[in-house]
Amino acid sequence: ILASMAEGVLVVGPDGRIVLMNAALKTMRLVSGDPVGRNVLHVIRNADLSETLHRAREGAPAEMELELGGLMPRRLLMRARALEDAPGSVLAVLVDLTELRRLESVRRDFVANASHELRSPLTSIRAAAETLESAHDDPDSAKRFIDLIVRNAERLQSLVDDMLELSRIESGEVQLELETLPLDAVAERVVAH
């Protein structure tokens, strides 16, 4: 059962030595060899881990999110409890939150960037519309401001379409098809906008 779990399982004895570490936790931490019998802090170097194990050993259920460095940094949610049948021993279950936290960060950045990108055309549309109200006697000015409003409305529509497309991709509704693109055309389009 422990070998087939996706969550990491760790049992630490009263002396701080590893009694059991399942394959999932070994993979998360890139542990090679057999860590059983070694001090847990030599295998997983983290002060928060030590503190959480200590709190659990004292009888209080302990939960903490740990950031573990190394070749592949990880964010793990650790829940630890003292084992009633083995005084001083602690059982800890660790869930890898790395990908979830990365996606949360990407989503936060996306919302911030989208808000910024939407603000510019909205400001332009509003300013052009207000100016158009006062420039109704000058047909050339009116045409220029109407063109500005149309361009920025198209830009807003493009941003909304991109956001909807990203949502469909994220939900798995759309399968991406890779294709080659001429970079000069893409660069010209970026410079034009």
Side-chain angles (χ1 to χ4, degrees):
I1 291 172
L2 293 175
S4 65
M5 289 178 64
E7 297 81 12
V9 177
L10 174 69
V11 177
V12 179
D15 59 355
R17 296 189 182 281
I18 296 173
V19 175
L20 179 137
M21 179 185 284
N22 73 343
L25 186 55
K26 288 179 187 177
T27 302
M28 284 180 211
R29 290 303 310 139
L30 300 174
V31 174
S32 59
D34 187 11
V36 173
R38 294 176 55 199
N39 187 297
V40 68
L41 293 177
H42 292 165
V43 177
I44 305 174
R45 298 178 190 277
N46 186 285
D48 292 334
L49 173 95
S50 176
E51 178 186 325
T52 306
L53 291 173
H54 180 71
R55 281 200 329 258
R57 192 171 279 121
E58 291 178 346
E63 182 176 310
M64 180 176 281
E65 194 168 311
L66 308 169
E67 184 161 346
L68 303 177
L71 295 174
M72 295 177 59
R74 297 274 184 207
R75 298 256 341 149
L76 303 175
L77 175 64
M78 178 175 150
R79 291 185 177 109
R81 303 190 157 243
L83 291 174
E84 293 176 12
D85 296 342
S89 295
V90 175
L91 167 69
V93 177
L94 296 99
V95 179
D96 193 345
L97 301 177
T98 307
E99 186 63 14
L100 178 66
R101 294 297 181 247
R102 187 189 70 74
L103 289 174
E104 286 173 353
S105 176
V106 166
R107 188 175 301 259
R108 248 189 331 271
D109 292 347
F110 174 76
V111 168
N113 289 336
S115 299
H116 177 73
E117 287 296 321
L118 290 170
R119 185 175 291 133
S120 298
L122 285 172
T123 302
S124 294
I125 288 171
R126 185 174 179 185
E130 288 171 356
T131 306
L132 187 58
E133 279 181 337
S134 64
H136 60 281
D137 293 339
D138 182 4
D140 291 333
S141 284
K143 171 89 172 95
R144 208 171 66 240
F145 288 113
I146 289 171
D147 290 344
L148 181 66
I149 290 171
V150 169
R151 271 196 326 272
N152 280 290
E154 288 170 349
R155 185 173 166 204
L156 281 173
Q157 183 63 50
S158 176
L159 286 168
V160 169
D161 290 346
D162 288 348
M163 290 168 63
L164 289 172
E165 186 69 17
L166 284 172
S167 176
R168 284 193 291 271
I169 290 169
E170 189 177 70
S171 68
E173 292 177 31
V174 175
Q175 293 297 321
L176 297 178
E177 293 180 26
L178 299 178
E179 61 183 59
T180 58
L181 288 175
L183 287 179
D184 55 341
V186 173
E188 286 174 15
R189 205 171 135 210
V190 169
V191 170
H193 287 87

